[in-house]
Amino acid sequence: MKGDEVTRESTPVKRGGRNAIVHSLDRARDWWEHAKVWQRYLVYIALVVGALILPAPAIGQFMTPGSDWTTVLIYPIGTYILLAVGLNVVVGQAGLLDLGFVAFFAIGGYSVAYYGVEHGWNYWVTVVWGIALAAVSGVILGAPTLRLRGDYLAIVTLGFGEIIRITANNTDEIGGARGIPGIPHPDLFGFKFKLDPAPYYYLMVAAIVLVIIFSVRLQKSRVGRAWAAIREDEDAAELMGVPTFKFKLLAFAIGAMIGGLAGGLYAGKAVFIEPNTFPFILSATILAAVVLGGSGNLPGVMLGAFLIGWLPERFRDLADYRILAFGAVLVLMMALRPEGLLPSRRRKAELHEGTGGMGTMGAEVPGPDTDVSTAEAAK
């Protein structure tokens, strides 16, 4: 009884100290979870319209006064969002910590570059082929390693990402350290993409919309429920008859496909790629976007990717100090709100109950608002 009284008395104090922005984000999430179908479709339409007018010069003058706004919308913002949605399948939905996601991005990019330049394949064929190769790579990586959990799996995936980069750097057939220049631009129904960034931006928006629809459908399906069970307690899911290995392998393959798609779209716009285009820090950046936005919650993940892609460009005038300030903000954010800006209710409850933000990794570490008795029970 005394513990209950302490909890009831301390809860208002915690809530009263929260920032007004955090309250607004929580209310927006709660409204969205209970919104009617027609309300959701109105939001979808508004978002699509907003995305279509986003490259307007008037918006760009404020968003990135020192850079071309439309180009920034393609890379890093659009590419980060696409990669974050793909990584969210692995980390947010299935609870598997992947530190080598950039490898699939590289496979998609090099597939478009190599087969387009060396063999003259059509751009869209190379994109599809890159997606297929990325999916196969995800299966090849996952088959021997998905018996591992937590930080062990993270170390293996980190090594895989570095293996892909170093292999590209040492393989003359795909350009080696020189990279591959002269990647052909895509064409669509007779319209040829050139250096104008606007068509690439709308292509990126279309890809993001398709991937979001695919991801949401998966999350609400039997596959999504199996991933949620694995994320919350893999042993219990196994005992209840969920074929955990098969579903984890599927998560790796689907996440890899989305990463390969992002790589293919990036290569078509960049015209030139080389191994240093795909460093480990990019994997860490996308993971930071997923965690910052709210792992497992698609709107939150997209918000986190947008902020991580946009803020360093917005404050480019501060030179290297912008990265220092940005890192400090991320650390502060994770200390005060580790569940992210827009977490789902389920993921927020998992974190506060001590099951961590990424499946089994961090399960022993309670959240900042976790009751002491709950944290001890989790141990």
Side-chain angles (χ1 to χ4, degrees):
M1 288 294 293
K2 183 179 290 185
D4 293 340
E5 291 175 3
V6 171
T7 302
R8 283 195 297 268
E9 291 175 2
S10 60
T11 300
V13 175
K14 291 178 181 177
R15 290 181 179 174
R18 288 186 177 179
N19 191 287
I21 297 177
V22 172
H23 274 299
S24 300
L25 292 174
D26 284 341
R27 284 197 297 268
R29 179 203 62 203
D30 294 341
W31 176 85
W32 178 255
E33 289 181 354
H34 298 93
K36 297 179 180 178
V37 175
W38 66 268
Q39 292 175 322
R40 293 195 175 207
Y41 274 102
L42 283 179
V43 174
Y44 294 148
I45 293 172
L47 289 175
V48 171
V49 171
L52 294 178
I53 65 174
L54 198 56
I59 298 176
Q61 288 176 1
F62 167 76
M63 298 297 284
T64 54
S67 307
D68 181 66
W69 172 232
T70 307
T71 301
V72 171
L73 281 173
I74 300 168
Y75 188 91
I77 293 176
T79 304
Y80 281 14
I81 290 175
L82 198 54
L83 288 171
V85 173
L87 185 59
N88 184 60
V89 172
V90 182
V91 173
Q93 296 188 36
L96 307 171
L97 186 56
D98 185 354
L99 292 180
F101 195 69
V102 70
F104 307 120
F105 183 53
I107 290 170
Y110 266 99
S111 298
V112 169
Y114 176 72
Y115 289 101
V117 173
E118 299 295 333
H119 299 281
W121 287 16
N122 177 272
Y123 172 80
W124 301 108
V125 175
T126 61
V127 170
V128 173
W129 182 241
I131 293 172
L133 286 180
V136 171
S137 300
V139 172
I140 292 174
L141 170 63
T145 62
L146 284 177
R147 305 291 182 186
L148 303 173
R149 300 186 186 182
D151 47 355
Y152 297 103
L153 178 62
I155 291 170
V156 171
T157 55
L158 187 156
F160 177 73
E162 286 300 286
I163 287 171
I164 294 296
R165 185 183 64 81
I166 293 171
T167 300
N169 192 65
N170 296 324
T171 305
D172 292 333
E173 179 65 20
I174 56 175
R178 301 184 307 276
I180 303 179
I183 303 172
H185 294 291
D187 61 87
L188 186 63
F189 302 119
F191 175 78
K192 296 196 177 290
F193 290 60
K194 295 183 180 178
L195 295 178
D196 181 14
Y200 293 97
Y201 167 72
Y202 293 117
L203 178 62
M204 182 67 72
V205 169
I208 291 172
V209 169
L210 290 176
V211 167
I212 288 172
I213 293 172
F214 178 63
S215 180
V216 170
R217 298 285 293 180
L218 268 178
Q219 191 169 5
K220 294 182 177 180
S221 69
R222 174 175 173 266
V223 174
R225 292 192 293 272
W227 285 341
I230 293 170
R231 183 186 69 231
E232 292 177 12
D233 193 326
E234 185 175 341
D235 293 328
E238 187 78 44
L239 289 173
M240 293 300 293
V242 177
T244 57
F245 180 77
K246 181 179 74 173
F247 281 109
K248 289 195 294 183
L249 198 61
L250 181 61
F252 253 69
I254 291 175
M257 290 172 63
I258 299 174
L261 172 62
L265 296 179
Y266 171 79
K269 171 65 174 67
V271 184
F272 167 76
I273 61 171
E274 50 97 16
N276 291 328
T277 307
F278 310 101
F280 161 72
I281 191 63
L282 183 57
S283 287
T285 301
I286 302 305
L287 181 62
V290 172
V291 176
L292 173 66
S295 176
N297 189 34
L298 203 52
V301 166
M302 295 173 64
L303 175 62
F306 181 90
L307 291 176
I308 281 187
W310 169 61
L311 287 176
E313 294 294 333
R314 177 63 179 83
F315 299 104
R316 181 171 287 277
D317 293 340
L318 299 179
D320 291 339
Y321 292 104
R322 65 194 169 100
I323 305 299
L324 180 63
F326 185 57
V329 170
L330 285 180
V331 171
L332 187 63
M333 176 68 196
M334 289 300 98
L336 298 179
R337 191 173 170 84
E339 65 269 22
L341 293 172
L342 283 176
S344 64
R345 281 182 175 274
R346 173 182 287 181
R347 297 294 279 157
K348 186 175 181 179
E350 288 174 13
L351 185 63
H352 285 186
E353 289 173 4
T355 55
M358 296 170 200
T360 55
M361 182 159 185
E364 71 283 0
V365 182
D369 297 332
T370 309
D371 184 63
V372 175
S373 59
T374 304
E376 291 177 352
K379 293 179 182 179

PDB file of all heavy atoms in Angstrom, residues 318-334:
ATOM      1  N   LEU A 318      27.086  27.104 -39.027  1.00  0.00           N
ATOM      2  CA  LEU A 318      27.851  26.940 -37.791  1.00  0.00           C
ATOM      3  C   LEU A 318      29.052  26.015 -37.960  1.00  0.00           C
ATOM      4  O   LEU A 318      29.744  25.711 -36.979  1.00  0.00           O
ATOM      5  CB  LEU A 318      26.944  26.384 -36.688  1.00  0.00           C
ATOM      6  CG  LEU A 318      25.751  27.261 -36.305  1.00  0.00           C
ATOM      7  CD1 LEU A 318      24.922  26.578 -35.231  1.00  0.00           C
ATOM      8  CD2 LEU A 318      26.225  28.638 -35.828  1.00  0.00           C
ATOM      9  N   ALA A 319      29.278  25.553 -39.201  1.00  0.00           N
ATOM     10  CA  ALA A 319      30.410  24.682 -39.522  1.00  0.00           C
ATOM     11  C   ALA A 319      30.366  23.422 -38.649  1.00  0.00           C
ATOM     12  O   ALA A 319      29.308  22.851 -38.426  1.00  0.00           O
ATOM     13  CB  ALA A 319      31.717  25.437 -39.373  1.00  0.00           C
ATOM     14  N   ASP A 320      31.515  23.005 -38.132  1.00  0.00           N
ATOM     15  CA  ASP A 320      31.568  21.752 -37.383  1.00  0.00           C
ATOM     16  C   ASP A 320      30.867  21.844 -36.035  1.00  0.00           C
ATOM     17  O   ASP A 320      30.537  20.811 -35.436  1.00  0.00           O
ATOM     18  CB  ASP A 320      33.026  21.335 -37.165  1.00  0.00           C
ATOM     19  CG  ASP A 320      33.698  20.917 -38.467  1.00  0.00           C
ATOM     20  OD1 ASP A 320      32.966  20.580 -39.405  1.00  0.00           O
ATOM     21  OD2 ASP A 320      34.940  20.927 -38.526  1.00  0.00           O
ATOM     22  N   TYR A 321      30.626  23.031 -35.548  1.00  0.00           N
ATOM     23  CA  TYR A 321      29.948  23.169 -34.258  1.00  0.00           C
ATOM     24  C   TYR A 321      28.512  22.659 -34.335  1.00  0.00           C
ATOM     25  O   TYR A 321      27.932  22.275 -33.322  1.00  0.00           O
ATOM     26  CB  TYR A 321      29.964  24.629 -33.804  1.00  0.00           C
ATOM     27  CG  TYR A 321      31.345  25.125 -33.457  1.00  0.00           C
ATOM     28  CD1 TYR A 321      32.046  25.963 -34.311  1.00  0.00           C
ATOM     29  CD2 TYR A 321      31.962  24.728 -32.272  1.00  0.00           C
ATOM     30  CE1 TYR A 321      33.324  26.409 -33.997  1.00  0.00           C
ATOM     31  CE2 TYR A 321      33.241  25.170 -31.941  1.00  0.00           C
ATOM     32  CZ  TYR A 321      33.914  26.007 -32.808  1.00  0.00           C
ATOM     33  OH  TYR A 321      35.183  26.434 -32.498  1.00  0.00           O
ATOM     34  N   ARG A 322      27.944  22.658 -35.537  1.00  0.00           N
ATOM     35  CA  ARG A 322      26.562  22.183 -35.683  1.00  0.00           C
ATOM     36  C   ARG A 322      26.462  20.697 -35.347  1.00  0.00           C
ATOM     37  O   ARG A 322      25.479  20.251 -34.746  1.00  0.00           O
ATOM     38  CB  ARG A 322      26.058  22.447 -37.111  1.00  0.00           C
ATOM     39  CG  ARG A 322      26.789  21.659 -38.178  1.00  0.00           C
ATOM     40  CD  ARG A 322      26.495  22.193 -39.578  1.00  0.00           C
ATOM     41  NE  ARG A 322      27.403  21.588 -40.546  1.00  0.00           N
ATOM     42  CZ  ARG A 322      27.083  20.574 -41.334  1.00  0.00           C
ATOM     43  NH1 ARG A 322      25.867  20.067 -41.291  1.00  0.00           N
ATOM     44  NH2 ARG A 322      27.959  20.067 -42.182  1.00  0.00           N
ATOM     45  N   ILE A 323      27.494  19.921 -35.690  1.00  0.00           N
ATOM     46  CA  ILE A 323      27.477  18.499 -35.379  1.00  0.00           C
ATOM     47  C   ILE A 323      27.614  18.286 -33.875  1.00  0.00           C
ATOM     48  O   ILE A 323      26.951  17.432 -33.280  1.00  0.00           O
ATOM     49  CB  ILE A 323      28.608  17.770 -36.134  1.00  0.00           C
ATOM     50  CG1 ILE A 323      28.502  18.037 -37.647  1.00  0.00           C
ATOM     51  CG2 ILE A 323      28.561  16.287 -35.853  1.00  0.00           C
ATOM     52  CD1 ILE A 323      27.213  17.555 -38.259  1.00  0.00           C
ATOM     53  N   LEU A 324      28.465  19.091 -33.244  1.00  0.00           N
ATOM     54  CA  LEU A 324      28.634  19.002 -31.786  1.00  0.00           C
ATOM     55  C   LEU A 324      27.325  19.326 -31.078  1.00  0.00           C
ATOM     56  O   LEU A 324      26.894  18.602 -30.163  1.00  0.00           O
ATOM     57  CB  LEU A 324      29.735  19.963 -31.333  1.00  0.00           C
ATOM     58  CG  LEU A 324      30.035  19.997 -29.828  1.00  0.00           C
ATOM     59  CD1 LEU A 324      30.543  18.646 -29.359  1.00  0.00           C
ATOM     60  CD2 LEU A 324      31.051  21.100 -29.526  1.00  0.00           C
ATOM     61  N   ALA A 325      26.675  20.404 -31.507  1.00  0.00           N
ATOM     62  CA  ALA A 325      25.409  20.802 -30.894  1.00  0.00           C
ATOM     63  C   ALA A 325      24.325  19.754 -31.150  1.00  0.00           C
ATOM     64  O   ALA A 325      23.522  19.432 -30.266  1.00  0.00           O
ATOM     65  CB  ALA A 325      24.975  22.166 -31.426  1.00  0.00           C
ATOM     66  N   PHE A 326      24.326  19.222 -32.361  1.00  0.00           N
ATOM     67  CA  PHE A 326      23.323  18.227 -32.724  1.00  0.00           C
ATOM     68  C   PHE A 326      23.500  16.963 -31.877  1.00  0.00           C
ATOM     69  O   PHE A 326      22.532  16.380 -31.378  1.00  0.00           O
ATOM     70  CB  PHE A 326      23.443  17.893 -34.205  1.00  0.00           C
ATOM     71  CG  PHE A 326      22.379  16.971 -34.713  1.00  0.00           C
ATOM     72  CD1 PHE A 326      21.037  17.292 -34.591  1.00  0.00           C
ATOM     73  CD2 PHE A 326      22.715  15.773 -35.322  1.00  0.00           C
ATOM     74  CE1 PHE A 326      20.051  16.453 -35.066  1.00  0.00           C
ATOM     75  CE2 PHE A 326      21.734  14.926 -35.802  1.00  0.00           C
ATOM     76  CZ  PHE A 326      20.407  15.265 -35.665  1.00  0.00           C
ATOM     77  N   GLY A 327      24.754  16.541 -31.682  1.00  0.00           N
ATOM     78  CA  GLY A 327      25.016  15.378 -30.848  1.00  0.00           C
ATOM     79  C   GLY A 327      24.594  15.604 -29.406  1.00  0.00           C
ATOM     80  O   GLY A 327      24.042  14.702 -28.759  1.00  0.00           O
ATOM     81  N   ALA A 328      24.839  16.811 -28.904  1.00  0.00           N
ATOM     82  CA  ALA A 328      24.435  17.130 -27.534  1.00  0.00           C
ATOM     83  C   ALA A 328      22.917  17.071 -27.382  1.00  0.00           C
ATOM     84  O   ALA A 328      22.403  16.586 -26.365  1.00  0.00           O
ATOM     85  CB  ALA A 328      24.961  18.510 -27.151  1.00  0.00           C
ATOM     86  N   VAL A 329      22.195  17.552 -28.384  1.00  0.00           N
ATOM     87  CA  VAL A 329      20.729  17.502 -28.340  1.00  0.00           C
ATOM     88  C   VAL A 329      20.244  16.057 -28.333  1.00  0.00           C
ATOM     89  O   VAL A 329      19.305  15.702 -27.602  1.00  0.00           O
ATOM     90  CB  VAL A 329      20.140  18.284 -29.535  1.00  0.00           C
ATOM     91  CG1 VAL A 329      18.640  18.036 -29.644  1.00  0.00           C
ATOM     92  CG2 VAL A 329      20.417  19.768 -29.380  1.00  0.00           C
ATOM     93  N   LEU A 330      20.882  15.201 -29.130  1.00  0.00           N
ATOM     94  CA  LEU A 330      20.492  13.788 -29.170  1.00  0.00           C
ATOM     95  C   LEU A 330      20.716  13.120 -27.809  1.00  0.00           C
ATOM     96  O   LEU A 330      19.865  12.367 -27.327  1.00  0.00           O
ATOM     97  CB  LEU A 330      21.289  13.054 -30.248  1.00  0.00           C
ATOM     98  CG  LEU A 330      20.897  13.301 -31.704  1.00  0.00           C
ATOM     99  CD1 LEU A 330      21.800  12.497 -32.631  1.00  0.00           C
ATOM    100  CD2 LEU A 330      19.441  12.935 -31.954  1.00  0.00           C
ATOM    101  N   VAL A 331      21.873  13.403 -27.194  1.00  0.00           N
ATOM    102  CA  VAL A 331      22.165  12.825 -25.879  1.00  0.00           C
ATOM    103  C   VAL A 331      21.139  13.295 -24.851  1.00  0.00           C
ATOM    104  O   VAL A 331      20.618  12.504 -24.051  1.00  0.00           O
ATOM    105  CB  VAL A 331      23.595  13.205 -25.436  1.00  0.00           C
ATOM    106  CG1 VAL A 331      23.828  12.794 -23.983  1.00  0.00           C
ATOM    107  CG2 VAL A 331      24.624  12.546 -26.343  1.00  0.00           C
ATOM    108  N   LEU A 332      20.833  14.578 -24.872  1.00  0.00           N
ATOM    109  CA  LEU A 332      19.856  15.130 -23.938  1.00  0.00           C
ATOM    110  C   LEU A 332      18.477  14.526 -24.161  1.00  0.00           C
ATOM    111  O   LEU A 332      17.760  14.193 -23.209  1.00  0.00           O
ATOM    112  CB  LEU A 332      19.796  16.653 -24.106  1.00  0.00           C
ATOM    113  CG  LEU A 332      18.937  17.427 -23.102  1.00  0.00           C
ATOM    114  CD1 LEU A 332      19.490  17.264 -21.686  1.00  0.00           C
ATOM    115  CD2 LEU A 332      18.872  18.897 -23.484  1.00  0.00           C
ATOM    116  N   MET A 333      18.134  14.353 -25.424  1.00  0.00           N
ATOM    117  CA  MET A 333      16.838  13.775 -25.765  1.00  0.00           C
ATOM    118  C   MET A 333      16.723  12.342 -25.248  1.00  0.00           C
ATOM    119  O   MET A 333      15.711  11.943 -24.663  1.00  0.00           O
ATOM    120  CB  MET A 333      16.669  13.801 -27.291  1.00  0.00           C
ATOM    121  CG  MET A 333      15.411  13.154 -27.794  1.00  0.00           C
ATOM    122  SD  MET A 333      13.945  14.077 -27.316  1.00  0.00           S
ATOM    123  CE  MET A 333      12.689  12.829 -27.630  1.00  0.00           C
ATOM    124  N   MET A 334      17.774  11.564 -25.450  1.00  0.00           N
ATOM    125  CA  MET A 334      17.736  10.171 -25.009  1.00  0.00           C
ATOM    126  C   MET A 334      17.734  10.059 -23.481  1.00  0.00           C
ATOM    127  O   MET A 334      17.222   9.095 -22.916  1.00  0.00           O
ATOM    128  CB  MET A 334      18.923   9.409 -25.590  1.00  0.00           C
ATOM    129  CG  MET A 334      18.827   9.162 -27.085  1.00  0.00           C
ATOM    130  SD  MET A 334      17.361   8.183 -27.551  1.00  0.00           S
ATOM    131  CE  MET A 334      16.204   9.469 -28.059  1.00  0.00           C
TER     132      MET A 334
END
